[in-house]
Amino acid sequence: MTSSADLKARANAAFAGQHAAPAASPVDQAADAAHEKIARLKALREAREKAEADRAEAARQKARRARAVKS
């Protein structure tokens, strides 16, 4: 199972090398920065959701094993 810190590091690494060419205006620069931030936040949200799903699955498996031992 991957920790959320690992997932966050992977998400940040995915966007670390992406630098847009200098924008023509401050408005374009702000828009580019906003798009990059949105992409980073989306990747982080997806990583968090995957980590939560992994933890839930691990808990279900643990509960199944515990029930199997009781039987």
Side-chain angles (χ1 to χ4, degrees), residues 39-52:
R40 271 193 312 276
L41 291 173
K42 180 180 178 185
L44 290 171
R45 183 183 69 241
E46 289 171 354
R48 183 184 68 242
E49 289 171 353
K50 183 181 181 325
E52 289 171 355

Side-chain angles (χ1 to χ4, degrees), residues 22-59:
S25 72
V27 173
D28 289 339
Q29 290 175 348
D32 289 343
H35 284 105
E36 290 174 7
K37 182 176 181 180
I38 290 168
R40 271 193 312 276
L41 291 173
K42 180 180 178 185
L44 290 171
R45 183 183 69 241
E46 289 171 354
R48 183 184 68 242
E49 289 171 353
K50 183 181 181 325
E52 289 171 355
D54 289 347
R55 281 193 295 275
E57 179 60 27

Side-chain angles (χ1 to χ4, degrees), residues 12-23 32-33 36 40:
N12 285 333
F15 297 98
Q18 294 182 0
H19 296 289
D32 289 343
E36 290 174 7
R40 271 193 312 276

